[in-house]
């Protein structure tokens, strides 16, 4: 079939630099003529030769259903057809969760994937859209590829588009746009099958059958995981429909901020606490994040969550029983709780910069099986993205396992049991969203000067004596690449830490993240409230960073 291919003149747009996880901007920015086309062309031109390049490629395409998805899908079809891509595997209506895209890329041995999501950022005409490229291992493109994409966007003069009719993504099956084959699939089924190969569904069903009063509430936050949660909890595990809330994906997430934390998943938290639920969980817009809570205000920090999953993995989850656990990894700001599990189990453990892309090499080299980030990301080497629903299933598996030995164990009990073995890493993150960029940069510059001068080393602030200070740098042990400037760390003699870094996922102004962590091995303190336990250290963090004077903010936007 001959398709007419048009070369369209364009000009570079400023700021098409992928951040922590792809390009995220306001929808209105993506809607400018040529803006989206430029970026998609840059992606297609950056698919590494070692991965086969764009010509003849098979790409998985999926998004979280947010506003503007439909238009971008058609752009991808036209530019892919013009670039000589062979096949696009696309979710029905373009909807596939980020972890399910990662799985599909691996399962179908695709060249890579294009993900249309701004993750947990709000959606709708006045909010955010996002585009990201994943490699053939299913994971986010590493920095050499994202840098290449950015370089192309800075000089792009034209893109090529094929004159093909609009594709209907509401129909399952195969269609053609010129020579390009488009296979529209149900993005849920393969993913649920994958979960069945990882977890012991029978053991989980047994647990629910013998604990008929155990109440679960899953919050899809009107993001992509609603249909996954419904299929899993209601249709597969047989829980009542009241076990799922906000399970219909909406282009604007119902006006809510689809970020599973105590602030934005407030509705879930309220319901779990007020309506006698034993277990509550939420996932974000594109399904890679998760939050786990128990009844009676038991909140599992993501740092504790990954440590607890690692602790029980080989006992409670068949996938790890079979494959073993090779090593553990966490992002730098994530608490050291996971390291304690690694040490006890004699496993290698790694500290990488913020960004899931940094785990991929370790997993491919079989040096990391379970990893997590304080930013509500938890996952394993079953795919190369963090996986919200996987993490929720891991927790349900642990609850079923622990209850077999000690019936009646709650989420709170599991937390306390863990602290009794390892001690407790109190951890909290303060986010200051949409602050003025210059103030945030100046604050970081001043802290960098303090690192260079070394003047705080050995000094005590609020009773905490500074041991070291640096701007975190990561040497990837697999490919030798170096990533500098990944966050300011102030580490104290008692192992307490303060970390300051600027977010790489915001679309407006700057977001300052302040992380504080303090370890306790005193059992009398394990049940203490986090904010009270950390108050003295938070005061030191605010004093040392002079955050208020640099940002003008007295209070954070979100505390987790
Ligand atoms: C993304 C990345 C994560 C990162 C998080 C926060 O998550 O995939 O690895 O931890 O952003 O990054 P930052 O602190 O730079 O905002 P998601 O769920 O937004 O894709």
């Amino acid at each position: 079939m001959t398709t007419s291919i048009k070369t369209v003149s364009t000009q570079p747009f400023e700021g098409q630099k992928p951040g922590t996880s792809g390009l995220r901007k306001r929808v209105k920015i993506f809607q400018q003529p040529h803006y989206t086309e430029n970026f998609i062309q840059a992606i297609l031109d950056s698919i590494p030769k070692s991965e086969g390049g764009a010509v003849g490629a098979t790409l998985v395409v999926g998004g979280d259903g947010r506003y503007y998805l439909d238009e971008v899908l058609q752009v991808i079809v036209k530019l892919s057809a013009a670039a000589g891509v062979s096949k696009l595997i696309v979710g029905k209506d373009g909807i596939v969760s980020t972890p399910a895209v990662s799985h599909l890329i691996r399962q179908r041995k695709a060249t890579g994937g294009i993900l249309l999501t701004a993750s947990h950022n709000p959606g709708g005409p006045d909010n955010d859209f996002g585009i990201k490229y994943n490699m053939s291992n299913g994971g986010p493109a590493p920095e050499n590829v994202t840098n290449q994409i950015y370089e192309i966007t800075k000089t792009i003069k034209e893109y090529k588009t094929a004159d093909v009719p609009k594709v209907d993504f509401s129909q399952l099956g195969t269609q053609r746009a010129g020579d390009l084959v488009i296979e529209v699939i149900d993005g849920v089924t393969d993913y649920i099958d994958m979960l069945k190969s990882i977890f012991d569904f029978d053991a989980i069903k047994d647990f629910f059958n013998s604990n008929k009063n155990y109440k679960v509430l899953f919050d899809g936050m009107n993001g992509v995981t609603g249909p996954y949660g419904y299929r899993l909890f209601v249709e597969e595990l047989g829980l009542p429909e009241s076990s799922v809330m906000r399970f219909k994906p909406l282009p604007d997430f119902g006006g809510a901020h689809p970020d599973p934390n105590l602030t934005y998943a407030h509705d879930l938290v309220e319901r779990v606490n007020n309506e006698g639920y034993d277990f509550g969980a939420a996932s974000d817009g594109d399904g890679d994040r998760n939050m786990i809570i128990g009844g009676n205000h038991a909140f599992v920090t993501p740092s504790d969550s990954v440590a607890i999953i690692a602790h029980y993995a080989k006992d409670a989850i068949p996938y790890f029983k079979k494959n073993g656990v090779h090593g553990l990894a966490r992002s730098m700001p994530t608490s050291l709780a996971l390291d304690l599990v690694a040490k006890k189990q004699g496993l290698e453990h790694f500290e990488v910069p913020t960004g899931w892309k940094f785990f991929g090499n370790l997993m491919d080299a079989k040096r990391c099986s379970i990893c997590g980030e304080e930013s509500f990301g938890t996952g394993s080497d079953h795919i190369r993205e963090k996986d919200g629903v996987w993490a929720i299933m891991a927790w349900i598996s642990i609850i079923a396992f622990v209850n077999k030995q000690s019936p009646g164990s709650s989420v709170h009990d599991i937390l306390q049991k863990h602290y009794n073995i390892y001690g407790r890493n109190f951890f909290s993150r303060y986010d200051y969203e949409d602050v003025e960029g210059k103030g945030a940069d100046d604050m970081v510059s001043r802290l960098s000067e303090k690192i260079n001068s070394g003047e705080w080393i050995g000094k005590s602030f609020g009773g905490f004596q500074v041991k070291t200070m640096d701007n975190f740098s990561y040497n990837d042990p697999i490919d030798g690449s170096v990533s500098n400037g990944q966050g300011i760390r102030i580490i104290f003699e008692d192992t307490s830490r303060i970390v300051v870094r600027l977010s790489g996922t915001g679309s407006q102004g700057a977001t300052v993240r302040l992380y504080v962590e303090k370890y306790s091995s005193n059992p009398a303190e394990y049940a203490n409230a986090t904010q009270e336990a950390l108050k003295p250290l938070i005061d030191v963090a605010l004093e040392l960073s002079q955050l208020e004077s640099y940002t003008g903010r007295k209070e954070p936007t979100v505390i987790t």
Side-chain angles (χ1 to χ4, degrees):
M1 203 185 294
T2 9
T3 312
S4 116
I5 293 174
K6 207 167 63 180
T7 301
V8 180
S9 295
T10 185
Q11 284 180 354
F13 288 88
E14 250 184 52
Q16 289 197 321
K17 184 172 169 48
T20 308
S21 191
L23 182 70
R24 293 182 190 172
K25 299 279 179 198
R26 289 285 192 244
V27 166
K28 289 201 162 52
I29 293 192
F30 276 101
Q31 283 172 325
Q32 299 171 87
H34 310 305
Y35 188 94
T36 300
E37 287 84 351
N38 280 14
F39 194 70
I40 298 292
Q41 185 69 60
I43 286 179
L44 293 170
D45 290 346
S46 302
I47 300 175
K49 290 278 169 293
S50 56
E51 301 248 306
V55 177
T58 295
L59 300 176
V60 178
V61 181
D64 55 11
R66 71 178 57 225
Y67 183 83
Y68 203 50
L69 172 69
D70 296 345
E71 287 82 348
V72 179
L73 285 173
Q74 303 298 335
V75 170
I76 291 174
V77 169
K78 286 173 185 294
L79 269 66
S80 297
V85 171
S86 287
K87 185 172 190 178
L88 298 179
I89 301 170
V90 189
K92 184 169 176 293
D93 298 317
I95 297 184
V96 189
S97 76
T98 291
V101 171
S102 182
H103 171 61
L104 277 167
I105 294 172
R106 295 166 70 77
Q107 187 193 37
R108 305 289 288 266
K109 301 202 176 359
T111 311
I114 302 178
L115 293 87
L116 304 175
T117 172
S119 191
H120 55 286
N121 297 11
D126 297 322
N127 285 307
D128 289 0
F129 194 77
I131 304 179
K132 140 174 137 163
Y133 185 70
N134 279 24
M135 309 285 279
S136 63
N137 72 348
E143 279 184 337
N144 63 330
V145 176
T146 54
N147 288 342
Q148 169 72 10
I149 295 172
Y150 181 45
E151 287 308 314
I152 293 175
T153 67
K154 289 198 286 190
T155 55
I156 189 165
K157 292 195 179 67
E158 58 185 41
Y159 58 84
K160 289 193 167 39
T161 176
D163 184 18
V164 288
K166 204 170 168 203
V167 172
D168 179 2
F169 289 105
S170 67
Q171 302 301 321
L172 293 180
T174 300
Q175 312 170 39
R176 272 182 176 272
D179 291 334
L180 176 68
V181 174
I182 297 156
E183 185 187 343
V184 179
I185 54 142
D186 162 12
V188 179
T189 304
D190 289 321
Y191 178 83
I192 300 289
D193 288 346
M194 176 193 75
L195 292 183
K196 286 184 183 165
S197 72
I198 294 174
F199 298 104
D200 186 344
F201 274 49
D202 289 337
I204 294 172
K205 279 189 219 164
D206 281 352
F207 167 72
F208 285 129
N209 281 335
S210 37
N211 292 273
K212 288 273 185 228
N213 294 329
Y214 197 91
K215 282 174 72 182
V216 168
L217 186 56
F218 167 76
D219 184 358
M221 300 193 86
N222 290 134
V224 72
T225 53
Y228 294 80
Y230 192 92
R231 179 87 67 88
L232 188 62
F233 298 114
V234 180
E235 294 176 2
E236 294 286 345
L237 298 175
L239 299 179
E241 201 170 278
S242 57
S243 303
V244 289
M245 64 185 271
R246 297 197 287 189
F247 57 88
K248 194 172 165 349
L250 297 175
D252 66 348
F253 307 108
H257 194 141
D259 195 0
N261 58 42
L262 292 174
T263 303
Y264 295 130
H266 189 67
D267 292 1
L268 169 80
V269 177
E270 287 283 294
R271 286 195 57 193
V272 167
N273 289 328
N274 298 338
E275 297 174 26
Y277 282 94
D278 300 286
F279 177 80
S283 194
D284 70 333
D286 66 327
D288 55 1
R289 297 186 174 205
N290 76 92
M291 178 176 76
I292 305 292
I293 55 176
N296 296 320
H297 304 273
F299 167 61
V300 184
T301 69
S303 297
D304 282 347
S305 177
V306 65
I308 291 170
I309 291 173
H311 173 80
Y312 288 105
K314 281 204 271 189
D315 292 323
I317 303 174
Y319 176 89
F320 297 110
K321 225 179 264 176
K322 183 170 154 220
N323 300 316
V325 176
H326 306 300
L328 306 174
R330 61 170 171 82
S331 67
M332 179 274 280
T334 304
S335 94
L336 308 181
L338 186 66
D339 303 25
L340 300 177
V341 177
K343 280 179 196 147
K344 199 172 175 72
Q345 296 189 354
L347 296 170
E348 262 196 303
H349 61 99
F350 300 89
E351 181 176 46
V352 309
T354 295
W356 205 260
K357 59 189 171 215
F358 292 103
F359 295 122
N361 277 349
L362 296 171
M363 290 182 175
D364 288 348
K366 294 210 176 309
R367 290 180 65 180
C368 163
S369 302
I370 297 172
C371 52
E373 294 188 280
E374 49 63 42
S375 55
F376 294 85
T378 327
S380 94
D381 59 358
H382 64 291
I383 54 169
R384 295 293 180 275
E385 286 278 5
K386 53 192 190 270
D387 191 341
V389 175
W390 174 91
I392 295 165
M393 283 298 284
W395 263 89
I396 292 178
S397 303
I398 290 166
I399 290 166
F401 173 79
V402 172
N403 271 271
K404 217 166 184 180
Q405 298 170 326
S406 325
S409 294
S410 65
V411 170
H412 172 85
D413 297 335
I414 292 172
L415 284 170
Q416 293 300 320
K417 194 170 166 196
H418 193 82
Y419 302 151
N420 278 312
I421 299 171
Y422 295 98
R424 179 166 180 188
N425 294 75
F426 287 95
F427 177 88
S428 185
R429 181 176 105 182
Y430 280 32
D431 293 334
Y432 300 80
E433 294 175 356
D434 200 5
V435 303
E436 197 244 318
K438 173 147 187 342
D441 289 340
D442 289 350
M443 182 183 77
V444 171
S445 299
R446 176 178 160 274
L447 289 170
S448 301
E449 280 162 24
K450 299 292 176 193
I451 293 172
N452 295 337
S453 72
E455 64 186 270
W456 286 348
I457 307 296
K459 286 207 175 132
S460 282
F461 300 92
F464 294 91
Q465 192 184 2
V466 178
K467 186 176 178 194
T468 56
M469 249 187 108
D470 67 1
N471 197 336
F472 180 63
S473 172
Y474 178 61
N475 291 359
D476 186 307
I478 312 302
D479 67 14
S481 60
V482 178
S483 302
N484 291 319
Q486 297 293 327
I488 307 277
R489 297 192 293 186
I490 307 174
I491 300 172
F492 298 93
E493 289 290 350
D494 71 346
T495 75
S496 295
R497 302 192 306 164
I498 294 170
V499 174
V500 180
R501 60 178 283 280
L502 304 185
S503 158
T505 55
S507 62
Q508 186 104 324
T511 293
V512 177
R513 303 211 194 280
L514 182 69
Y515 314 76
V516 289
E517 173 181 1
K518 186 177 183 306
Y519 177 73
S520 167
S521 56
N522 176 2
E525 294 177 354
Y526 293 163
N528 286 357
T530 301
Q531 294 306 318
E532 276 156 42
L534 289 173
K535 175 88 173 57
L537 190 58
I538 290 166
D539 288 345
V540 172
L542 294 173
E543 177 198 333
L544 292 181
S545 63
Q546 295 188 2
L547 193 140
E548 188 182 334
S549 72
Y550 278 101
T551 65
R553 294 289 175 83
K554 276 196 188 319
E555 299 294 334
T557 325
V558 178
I559 297 179
T560 38

